[in-house]
Amino acid sequence: MPKKTIRDLDVRSKRVLVRVDFNVPLKDGTVLDDTRIQAALPTIQYLIDSGAKVILMSHLGRPKGKPDPAYKMDPVARRLEELLGRKVKKIDFCVGPEAEKAVGEMAEGDVLLLENTRFYPGETSSDPEFARELASLGDIFVNDAFGAAHRAHASTYGVAEYLPTAAGFLMEKEISIMDKILKEPERPLTAVVGGAKIADKMSVLLNFMNHVDYLVIGGGVANTFLKAMGYEVGKSLVEDEKILSAQEIIDSSKMNGVKLFLPEDVVIAKEIDPNAETKVVPVDSIPKNMMVLDIGPKTAKKYSEIIRSSNSAVWVGPMGVFEYDAFAGGTKAVAEAVASVPYSLVGGGDSAAAAEKMGVADRITHISTGGGASLKYLGGEELPGITVIMEKDPDKVELKN
Ligand code: ADP
Ligand code: MG
């Protein structure tokens, strides 16, 4: 748990510099999906209600260290204004005289949104000078950008060097839910791992060996496991250089008493095409010229039963190419099963999209707002944006009296 959250701080009249994750999809100058803005509202509203001067900063997309009209924060400011029902001032800079002037003019409860932090090359390089300039705008730094916590950038990490630092409510929630799953889950705990590549899921798979009761595997990840078991997988997505890693997981599951399940049947096709002719075959009968694109119905039923018998579930990675209905059956079955578990967590960006698509999102305990960050955290890796909150000397933080 973070040492300090905003609840511990006296923020009245203070300039609170908040790193949020407003990296949202845009279309024609409007916000296409405001999930991440909504997720930051509790922190922002709390700071407004507490009489802070709320200075928000975020990156958006991947501009290359210089201003790019396609990635300006203006559409985000307009949507935030609608959601908060109050004025949000937006400026075209993050640092410099105009930023200082705008901050100087703020009253208690005002909200200011800085420009895209990635318009400055010092953001991704975590240039100490850029971080110091950013930090000079605030009295306190609050990190609420869980989705950017795996990056040691100036606005997620560098500024903490210069200011008292605390976690926002979203950051606190993301960390506490993942810690609950990893440290004190209601058992049995089932992990559902799929998605495109083992390489992206290796740290999660390894870490889960110390935590979960059941592990069910699907998606492209399963193909490499099947190959490691000696099955022909045809033209499927497979990572030959990860076959040993897959074998390592199989061995480790036995040593750790983790019950590991691989597909028994699969949906195959000649190509990834919405109209491709599909077939269901047992895993020992995959033709050389075909690709595995989903788990089969028998496997989907078995996985559902395992998941439904659990008291906690964590899901990272779709079971097939769920973007096309022909290969979405396994992901749909798993999504519905995960949603029926009392304590459920979805990590991974595409899994979050799959949960939405399958209409179960509102029945999941928590869908992480940070795809890459959640995979790293669940994999037991250190996230710089969380480290700064955990390790910040609490004496430096001004406490409520
Ligand atoms: P997440 O973002 O949830 O971590 P990934 O990014 O690892 O998930 O993987 C998601 C992608 O994996 C989806 O676009 C899906 O189409 C693809 N995928 C799933 N199963 C297969 C498969 N058998 N073959 C090829 N691609 C697959
Ligand atoms: Mg993904």
Side-chain angles (χ1 to χ4, degrees):
M1 264 289 89
K3 280 203 174 114
K4 293 284 165 270
T5 75
I6 47 177
R7 248 181 262 103
D8 304 314
L9 304 176
D10 187 359
V11 296
R12 184 162 302 278
S13 306
K14 298 278 170 54
R15 300 171 302 159
V16 183
L17 183 62
V18 190
R19 180 47 157 104
V20 284
D21 179 10
F22 285 170
N23 183 27
V24 292
L26 299 177
K27 199 180 177 200
D28 304 329
T30 57
V31 174
L32 205 58
D33 177 353
D34 66 4
T35 308
R36 284 179 164 172
I37 305 178
Q38 300 245 22
L41 292 178
T43 293
I44 298 169
Q45 192 63 54
Y46 174 88
L47 290 171
I48 293 170
D49 295 344
S50 307
K53 298 170 181 173
V54 191
I55 307 157
L56 305 172
M57 58 178 175
S58 175
H59 79 282
L60 174 62
R62 292 175 182 261
K64 303 203 166 57
K66 56 177 194 294
D68 179 338
Y71 296 112
K72 286 174 69 69
M73 299 299 289
D74 298 66
V76 174
R78 286 197 295 274
R79 177 59 64 89
L80 179 61
E81 231 163 23
E82 284 166 21
L83 291 170
L84 286 173
R86 67 157 57 220
K87 170 106 188 89
V88 173
K89 185 173 165 130
K90 150 78 181 43
I91 56 171
D92 294 334
F93 301 87
C94 287
V95 293
E98 186 168 329
E100 283 159 28
K101 180 165 172 285
V103 170
E105 288 167 0
M106 290 176 84
E108 290 181 7
D110 278 357
V111 182
L112 173 71
L113 177 61
L114 305 180
E115 190 48 279
N116 191 339
T117 52
R118 287 199 190 165
F119 283 5
Y120 296 79
E123 165 69 334
T124 51
S125 67
S126 198
D127 172 27
E129 182 49 28
F130 179 58
R132 198 193 53 75
E133 280 187 82
L134 277 175
S136 74
L137 299 176
D139 304 306
I140 293 169
F141 172 52
V142 169
N143 194 356
D144 208 23
F146 176 74
H150 54 314
R151 310 207 187 277
H153 290 171
S155 68
T156 59
Y157 184 77
V159 285
E161 187 63 36
Y162 306 97
L163 290 174
T165 297
F169 292 131
L170 174 61
M171 181 70 93
E172 188 188 13
K173 181 175 168 191
E174 294 267 10
I175 295 172
S176 74
I177 289 177
M178 281 189 265
D179 281 351
K180 165 97 179 131
I181 287 279
L182 292 176
K183 293 177 185 158
E184 44 183 26
E186 306 299 328
R187 294 192 180 275
L189 165 63
T190 295
V192 183
V193 178
K197 296 208 226 130
I198 283 204
D200 299 338
K201 298 282 155 42
M202 201 56 207
S203 67
V204 171
L205 284 166
L206 282 170
N207 199 34
F208 281 174
M209 288 298 130
N210 303 314
H211 299 282
V212 309
D213 301 296
Y214 303 109
L215 173 61
V216 304
I217 297 184
V221 171
N223 298 338
T224 304
F225 276 89
L226 291 174
K227 192 158 179 185
M229 306 271 291
Y231 294 112
E232 167 68 50
V233 292
K235 290 199 298 169
S236 301
L237 173 66
V238 124
E239 295 150 277
D240 283 321
E241 70 287 356
K242 292 289 168 199
I243 289 176
L244 278 176
S245 303
Q247 191 58 57
E248 204 183 309
I249 297 291
I250 294 170
D251 295 343
S252 170
S253 70
K254 286 176 191 149
M255 296 210 317
N256 287 285
V258 174
K259 291 212 174 82
L260 183 148
F261 296 88
L262 290 168
E264 292 169 24
D265 62 341
V266 287
V267 178
I268 56 171
K270 280 217 173 73
E271 60 209 326
I272 303 183
D273 184 294
N275 303 312
E277 200 180 314
T278 64
K279 218 174 138 186
V280 174
V281 293
V283 289
D284 60 4
S285 315
I286 301 165
K288 279 202 164 63
N289 62 341
M290 305 281 267
M291 306 168 96
V292 173
L293 296 171
D294 194 9
I295 56 173
K298 194 171 152 203
T299 305
K301 184 162 179 283
K302 181 157 181 191
Y303 284 9
S304 295
E305 282 164 9
I306 295 165
I307 297 164
R308 284 174 197 274
S309 75
S310 310
N311 281 312
S312 315
V314 51
W315 175 25
V316 287
M319 295 291 99
V321 182
F322 73 98
E323 292 90 342
Y324 298 147
D325 289 347
F327 315 114
T331 302
K332 187 167 175 48
V334 157
E336 277 164 1
V338 168
S340 78
V341 171
Y343 201 87
S344 54
L345 170 66
V346 177
D350 293 284
S351 312
E356 284 289 346
K357 185 178 172 182
M358 303 309 172
V360 303
D362 57 349
R363 286 188 288 129
I364 306 269
T365 309
H366 183 64
I367 298 181
S368 179
T369 57
S374 65
L375 291 180
K376 287 225 157 73
Y377 197 85
L378 291 170
E381 292 177 47
E382 190 176 309
L383 277 61
I386 292 178
T387 307
V388 292
I389 311 164
M390 300 290 190
E391 290 182 356
K392 191 73 183 179
D393 180 357
D395 294 341
K396 277 204 220 161
V397 180
E398 212 166 321
L399 297 175
K400 262 185 190 162
N401 50 17

